[in-house]
Amino acid sequence: MGNFNYRAIDVNGSMQEGTYSARDETHLERILEQQGLTLIDAEGGGFSGFGNLSEMFQPQLKDKDLLDFTYLLKLVVTSGIPLLQGIDTLMKSNSNKNIGHAAKIVRHGIDSGQALSETMQSAPRLFPPFYVQMIRAGEASGTLDASLDFLVNYLTWQTDFRKSVKASLTYPITVLSVLGTLMFVIFTFVFPKMLKTLTGMGAELPLPTKIMIAISGFLRGYYLPVIILSVVLFIAIKIFRRTPQGKRTIDGLLLKLPLIGMLIKKINMSRYFKIVATLHASGITADKTFAIGADVISNSVIAESMASIAKVIVTGESISDAMRRTGFIQPLVIDMMSIAEKTGTLEATLTRASDILDKEVPETIKKVFAYVEPLTMVVLGGMVLLLLLSVFLPIYKSVGQVKMR
């Protein structure tokens, strides 16, 4: 992400200037379009991995923090007390520093005469674009409490969804981590102690033992460079991923991985249709709804493809045809959208598509793990078999030579 200084024109033809954080100019232009602005020019951006340390260390609301803040803000709005008074209460009584910081920014913005959505828009690390647009829609229609209710429901779903995904990933990640650590210890420290005994038997060493000796010798001689290289490679990938091109390259490679790519598509499509259904139900226009939905997608390749849907809506082209060209939406959902456009039931269809994809994600996770678990057992069994053969085959040969004598 980089900071861009931009100039844009609003719907009334007035010039607007400001600063916004975006991946690139295309991303910035899409964000400004969601706010009813047309980008004229922009300066800055580029790689900001180390260039903006102050931004890197600014507080950032996690999903749970944003949910809690939204719920408390909803209580303030629906209680009938003045907004500033309610936010003051949040600042003083809340023990969560991030929520307190968000309340402080909101308090300062409102106190200076800004609308709630304008204040939130100035803090993109705290309030994502879809959140700001939902608040703006509530302010424009006089239904801020309804918009906050929509946000609470969506953020609750997103928090629960991420918890379920993390819970499903815990077992295979734990097993693979333990397996890798165990093999490293065996090859580096355990097997070398056995090696003296095995080589002292005088028998010719079998192939499994030679393989173990080669692996063990390499790890013993170069385990520090291997660890350092792994850490450097990990950091380099993280830095590379912070650049627009790096993120797109890595995201594209992830989509090509068997099973993992399918899971990434399903998770992002579930999140996309959930936010699109929520935004459309709140009264936001279709082009803004689909544009904001694309920004929610974490995979940049999918996000760029889905952003094209919002652009064709303005031209009057069919939404279902635009969805079909992306290549990421399943045919059933596309057919549902085609019928919805003809019957005028887009809102209900988006909600139904969201429900279908919500159910498909756990099924896809189970399918992935159905392959991962036996594959893990095969790898573990193969390593154990190699270890046993490398130890017992020399012993067996030595015993055979003794009997022959």
Side-chain angles (χ1 to χ4, degrees), residues 20-231:
Y20 213 97
S21 178
R23 290 191 295 269
D24 48 37
E25 284 197 26
T26 303
H27 185 215
L28 174 65
E29 184 177 7
R30 194 161 70 241
I31 292 173
L32 294 177
E33 284 177 355
Q34 296 166 14
Q35 301 167 10
L37 301 174
T38 302
L39 178 65
I40 297 177
D41 56 46
E43 296 179 353
F47 174 58
S48 60
F50 299 105
N52 196 346
L53 292 177
S54 61
E55 181 185 348
M56 290 174 60
F57 291 103
Q58 286 178 359
Q60 185 173 9
L61 289 180
K62 298 178 181 178
D63 289 341
K64 182 64 168 58
D65 294 338
L66 186 58
L67 172 59
D68 291 343
F69 176 84
T70 307
Y71 181 73
L72 292 172
L73 186 59
K74 176 189 170 185
L75 291 180
V76 171
V77 172
T78 56
S79 66
I81 64 175
L83 186 58
L84 285 178
Q85 181 181 340
I87 293 175
D88 283 339
T89 304
L90 290 182
M91 291 171 57
K92 296 174 183 177
S93 62
N94 202 287
S95 58
N96 189 310
K97 293 182 179 180
N98 291 335
I99 293 179
H101 177 72
K104 183 178 179 180
I105 288 179
V106 171
R107 173 69 170 81
H108 178 73
I110 295 176
D111 197 34
S112 62
Q114 289 184 326
L116 182 61
S117 57
E118 291 176 339
T119 303
M120 291 179 171
Q121 181 182 324
S122 65
R125 285 179 61 84
L126 298 176
F127 305 104
F130 78 87
Y131 193 99
V132 176
Q133 290 295 335
M134 187 73 78
I135 296 296
R136 180 176 284 115
E139 289 175 326
S141 60
T143 57
L144 183 58
D145 55 343
S147 293
L148 289 170
D149 192 48
F150 274 117
L151 286 170
V152 167
N153 292 333
Y154 172 74
L155 292 171
T156 300
W157 169 84
Q158 181 170 266
T159 302
D160 294 340
F161 179 77
R162 288 190 175 181
K163 284 181 180 178
S164 64
V165 172
K166 287 181 180 179
S168 302
L169 293 173
T170 299
Y171 173 74
I173 290 176
T174 302
V175 171
L176 291 174
S177 300
V178 171
L179 175 61
T181 303
L182 180 62
M183 290 299 103
F184 180 80
V185 171
I186 289 175
F187 282 126
T188 308
F189 303 105
V190 177
F191 187 76
K193 295 183 179 180
M194 299 180 180
L195 186 60
K196 294 179 181 180
T197 305
L198 296 176
T199 54
M201 292 179 177
E204 183 182 354
L205 296 178
L207 180 61
T209 307
K210 292 180 179 178
I211 293 174
M212 288 288 289
I213 291 173
I215 296 174
S216 177
F218 176 80
L219 289 177
R220 287 186 66 196
Y222 301 99
Y223 75 91
L224 276 179
V226 167
I227 293 175
I228 294 172
L229 181 63
S230 300
V231 172

Side-chain angles (χ1 to χ4, degrees), residues 255-304:
L255 287 176
K256 294 178 182 179
L257 293 176
L259 298 178
I260 301 298
M262 178 178 63
L263 181 59
I264 291 173
K265 291 177 187 177
K266 291 290 179 68
I267 289 175
N268 280 284
M269 285 298 98
S270 177
R271 184 183 300 165
Y272 174 80
F273 275 96
K274 175 64 69 174
I275 191 61
V276 165
T278 303
L279 291 171
H280 192 272
S282 70
I284 297 178
T285 59
D287 56 332
K288 287 186 179 180
T289 293
F290 284 95
I292 296 169
D295 277 338
V296 176
I297 297 175
S298 59
N299 187 284
S300 60
V301 176
I302 301 178
E304 289 177 12

Side-chain angles (χ1 to χ4, degrees), residues 199-396:
T199 54
M201 292 179 177
E204 183 182 354
L205 296 178
L207 180 61
T209 307
K210 292 180 179 178
I211 293 174
M212 288 288 289
I213 291 173
I215 296 174
S216 177
F218 176 80
L219 289 177
R220 287 186 66 196
Y222 301 99
Y223 75 91
L224 276 179
V226 167
I227 293 175
I228 294 172
L229 181 63
S230 300
V231 172
V232 170
L233 184 63
F234 175 78
I235 295 174
I237 292 174
K238 291 282 286 185
I239 295 175
F240 181 60
R241 201 174 192 277
R242 290 179 66 90
T243 66
Q245 184 59 39
K247 179 172 173 55
R248 198 181 191 288
T249 301
I250 294 175
D251 287 346
L253 292 174
L254 289 174
L255 287 176
K256 294 178 182 179
L257 293 176
L259 298 178
I260 301 298
M262 178 178 63
L263 181 59
I264 291 173
K265 291 177 187 177
K266 291 290 179 68
I267 289 175
N268 280 284
M269 285 298 98
S270 177
R271 184 183 300 165
Y272 174 80
F273 275 96
K274 175 64 69 174
I275 191 61
V276 165
T278 303
L279 291 171
H280 192 272
S282 70
I284 297 178
T285 59
D287 56 332
K288 287 186 179 180
T289 293
F290 284 95
I292 296 169
D295 277 338
V296 176
I297 297 175
S298 59
N299 187 284
S300 60
V301 176
I302 301 178
E304 289 177 12
S305 182
M306 301 306 292
S308 63
I309 298 175
K311 296 178 180 178
V312 303
I313 291 177
V314 181
T315 65
E317 188 178 345
S318 168
I319 296 176
S320 57
D321 289 341
M323 286 184 172
R324 185 175 288 107
R325 284 198 299 271
T326 64
F328 292 110
I329 303 175
Q330 57 178 272
L332 173 62
V333 175
I334 294 174
D335 293 339
M336 290 170 56
M337 293 299 300
S338 179
I339 295 173
E341 288 179 290
K342 296 175 182 177
T343 58
T345 56
L346 184 60
E347 181 177 330
T349 302
L350 286 171
T351 303
R352 179 57 182 158
S354 173
D355 294 338
I356 291 173
L357 291 166
D358 285 352
K359 294 178 181 178
E360 283 195 355
V361 171
E363 294 175 0
T364 305
I365 292 175
K366 291 180 181 178
K367 185 183 294 186
V368 171
F369 292 159
Y371 290 96
V372 170
E373 290 181 9
L375 182 62
T376 303
M377 294 300 104
V378 168
V379 173
L380 179 60
M383 297 302 294
V384 172
L385 178 63
L386 178 62
L387 179 62
L388 292 176
L389 289 176
S390 63
V391 173
F392 287 105
L393 280 180
I395 297 175
Y396 178 78

Side-chain angles (χ1 to χ4, degrees), residues 5-9 15-18 32 38-42:
N5 297 318
Y6 68 85
R7 290 191 306 155
I9 297 177
M15 183 71 69
Q16 303 285 338
E17 296 183 1
L32 294 177
T38 302
L39 178 65
I40 297 177
D41 56 46

